[in-house]
Structure formats: C-alpha cells, structure tokens
Amino acid sequence: LAAVGLSAGDLEDGIDLFRQGKYPQAEAKLRQASGPDAQAYLAGALAKQKKYDEAASTARAALGGNPTHEVAVAALGESLFGLKKYDEAITRLSDALAKNGGLAYAYFWRAQAYDKKGQAARMVGDYEQFLKLAPKAPEAGTVRGLLAALR
C-alpha cells in the first residue's frame, strides 16, 4: 500500500515538474511512477530533452492504454519529427486526430512534418487549426508570424 502512495506522489510531482519545464527532474520522478499518465508525461519529458528514441517508444506504450492521450500524442509527434520520421509522424498524428480532433499539438507536429515533406498547404491548414485550439500556446506567436509571412 505504501508503494502505491509513493507511486501516486511521484506521478503528481513528476507532472508538476513537467509543467514547470523541469524535464530532467520530471523524468526522474516519472520513472518511479507507473500507468499510462506516468508513461505519457515521461515520454514528454524525454522528448523535451531530445531523447527521441526512448520518448517515441514510451509514448507508443502510453498510447496503447489511451490512444488520444494529449501529452503522449504530442511527445510522439515531437519525437518522430526529431528522428526525421516525417511519414510516420503524419500517419500516427492523423490516426490520433481521427479519434480526437481537439489535440492541438498533434496539429502542430503534423504541420512541422508536412513542412519537411514540402506540403505547404497542409502545413498551413494544420498550423491554423493549432492556433484555433491553442491560441495562447508558447509556440503560437511563432506560428502566427510564419503564417503571416506566407500570406
């Protein structure tokens, strides 16, 4: 029973650290926790540290339990983009969006992949959808600037 309490505390602490941008500390806490949320946030923390291979496999595991977990989807997109696996990123993110069209970062990372594939119209559409869903996201200003430059 004490181990369960410890795991829950590690999960909450890990998520808090992740949201504060303290990714190495979040990673350490989340490795002590279990379950799909722990896997999803661990994948996110790994992706933010550019540990893309491990992040992608961890995100895939988390998505096995919840195919539209927002943090896991974003981590998988960021990881596949970082690994230059643009086709897989587009496919996996499109699958997630077919199940839940409200995943802002799925649009963001799919737009990034479309850009690398030279598919500007699709990139623009995904960036516009990202901005509708997450107008105050840290990346929103950069995305707005990019779209303005294309007009």
Side-chain angles (χ1 to χ4, degrees), residues 24-121:
Q25 297 92 323
E27 176 188 348
K29 284 285 184 187
L30 292 164
R31 286 191 185 281
Q32 304 305 311
S34 61
D37 277 344
Q39 288 179 313
Y41 281 94
L42 175 58
L46 292 166
K48 293 296 183 192
Q49 297 175 79
K50 300 183 179 358
K51 298 177 181 179
Y52 297 130
D53 281 318
E54 187 181 359
S57 64
T58 305
R60 284 187 192 98
L63 292 169
N66 178 354
T68 59
H69 192 293
E70 192 168 11
V71 175
V73 168
L76 183 59
E78 183 172 356
S79 298
L80 292 173
F81 181 81
L83 292 167
K84 297 179 172 52
K85 295 182 177 182
Y86 308 125
D87 290 325
E88 185 181 352
I90 290 166
T91 299
R92 296 297 299 253
L93 296 170
S94 296
D95 289 347
L97 287 165
K99 295 177 181 101
N100 178 354
L103 299 168
Y105 281 94
Y107 286 107
F108 177 82
W109 288 109
R110 192 172 71 172
Q112 298 271 319
Y114 279 142
D115 180 34
K116 292 297 186 184
K117 299 280 295 171
Q119 297 179 18

